[in-house]
Amino acid sequence: MLSVDKSYSTSRRTMELSLAHPATKAFLCGCVSGTCSTLLFQPLDLIKTRLQTSHRSLQPGSRAVGMVTVLRSVVRTERLLGLWKGVSPSFARTIPGVGIYFSTYYSLKQHFLQDSSPGAVQAVLLGGGARTAAGVLMLPVTVIKTRFECGRYSYGSVSGALRSVCRTEGPGALFSGLMATLLRDVPFSGIYVMFYSQAKASLPKEIRSSASAPLANFACGILSGILASLITQPADVVKTRVQVSPQMRTAEAIRTIYVEHRLQGFFRGAVPRALRRTLIAAMAWTVYEQMMAGFGLKS
């Protein structure tokens, strides 16, 4: 009797999901892809944040802090699980954030393009528009995530951190780095979607319709992510500095980074960020498109 009830409950949930609005399905697909990518690549994000917020000596001949040095330091002082510090706010930001991104992207694409493929300019606008919506809505959690990862704050939980910031710094601190975040994320998403859609369109038809299509799409995502990450890296460094020191304005952060590290300072953490953003974006789009295809929807 129990097994029959479970079977009925599962069938009912499946039927309810099949009747859901396509934008809701896109949101669910995005949430699943965000969960997978965040769990796998959180250590890269933590290393990137530590690199960008470390203040090494400016003495002549001082050695630069690299990925391996940060990795060893975190494992030595915080154990292996220290590499996943900040994963809770990352989940709180990425899971709904990716869901909002893909549902907004799908809705915009269906409204303006229906089922046709976007051109280069259209892809930039679609990706940028979707990222703007997700970025603004999820910025407070992004601020908390960055503070968790930098190691300077001792918050106990995401909700506790939100209350602490509002009480001691005011709600406006939760939106610190908004301009730098949008300057980083909107161009990244627009450039990524442009390169990704064009790369996919250039694939031979027999590959796009074969069983290896997900692997080919993933490869297109890797190439697109590397290009988009490198172009937007300076804005990411500025965004991180502002969110860790909310009293600092964007223009002041740019001057400070340049004075401390010169031009190379705007590319601190470029390798772990490029790895993480590229792999996350490639995985997110691959999982999203496969799940949408399973729903019978064109992504």
Side-chain angles (χ1 to χ4, degrees):
M1 183 66 181
L2 184 59
S3 61
V4 173
D5 290 341
K6 286 183 177 180
S7 177
Y8 173 75
S9 178
T10 301
S11 299
R12 184 177 178 180
R13 285 195 296 268
T14 302
M15 182 177 295
E16 289 174 350
L17 184 58
S18 66
L19 296 175
H21 190 278
T24 302
K25 295 177 181 177
F27 178 83
L28 293 174
C29 293
C31 289
V32 172
S33 65
T35 302
C36 297
S37 56
T38 299
L39 188 60
L40 286 174
F41 304 123
Q42 174 64 19
L44 289 173
D45 198 37
L46 181 134
I47 291 171
K48 181 267 298 183
T49 300
R50 294 288 176 92
L51 282 172
Q52 291 178 353
T53 55
S54 64
H55 297 282
R56 67 181 177 88
S57 171
L58 297 179
Q59 295 292 331
S62 58
R63 297 180 61 184
V65 177
M67 280 183 63
V68 176
T69 303
V70 173
L71 176 64
R72 288 175 176 170
S73 175
V74 173
V75 173
R76 184 176 62 252
T77 60
E78 304 174 46
R79 309 272 183 196
L80 186 62
L81 288 178
L83 292 171
W84 275 267
K85 187 174 184 178
V87 74
S88 295
S90 288
F91 274 140
R93 181 196 68 143
T94 304
I95 294 174
V98 176
I100 292 169
Y101 173 81
F102 278 121
S103 60
T104 304
Y105 175 86
Y106 180 85
S107 299
L108 290 173
K109 187 172 181 291
Q110 290 302 306
H111 180 74
F112 292 106
L113 300 176
Q114 283 76 47
D115 289 327
S116 59
S117 299
V121 176
Q122 293 169 325
V124 170
L125 294 176
L126 285 174
R131 181 52 60 193
T132 299
V136 171
L137 290 173
M138 301 309 299
L139 185 62
V141 185
T142 302
V143 172
I144 298 303
K145 179 192 78 73
T146 302
R147 293 190 178 195
F148 262 93
E149 293 171 351
C150 76
R152 298 186 193 173
Y153 297 84
S154 55
Y155 299 130
S157 65
V158 176
S159 59
L162 289 169
R163 288 194 300 270
S164 174
V165 172
C166 288
R167 184 175 61 253
T168 60
E169 303 173 45
L174 293 174
F175 290 89
S176 60
L178 174 60
M179 186 58 66
T181 298
L182 294 180
L183 287 174
R184 177 201 66 172
D185 288 349
V186 173
F188 175 90
S189 184
I191 293 168
Y192 180 90
V193 174
M194 178 190 70
F195 282 134
Y196 182 67
S197 60
Q198 297 302 304
K200 278 183 59 182
S202 67
L203 292 173
K205 188 175 181 179
E206 54 269 21
I207 293 180
R208 282 181 282 167
S209 58
S210 69
S212 61
L215 183 60
N217 292 342
F218 189 82
C220 291
I222 292 291
L223 175 62
S224 304
I226 291 173
L227 294 173
S229 292
L230 291 177
I231 292 171
T232 58
Q233 176 64 22
D236 182 70
V237 177
V238 175
K239 184 271 308 180
T240 300
R241 181 64 67 92
V242 171
Q243 289 181 343
V244 171
S245 306
Q247 72 279 3
M248 185 180 291
R249 301 299 179 186
T250 299
E252 183 184 354
I254 293 173
R255 287 195 299 270
T256 302
I257 293 167
Y258 181 76
V259 169
E260 290 180 354
H261 308 290
R262 299 301 175 185
L263 288 177
Q264 60 265 33
F266 293 98
F267 290 89
R268 290 171 70 88
V271 174
R273 176 176 179 259
L275 284 173
R276 178 183 176 275
R277 289 300 297 265
T278 297
L279 292 171
I280 280 182
M283 173 176 284
W285 275 91
T286 301
V287 172
Y288 166 74
E289 291 185 328
Q290 289 302 112
M291 289 188 67
M292 290 292 279
F295 284 131
L297 297 172
K298 186 175 181 180
S299 57

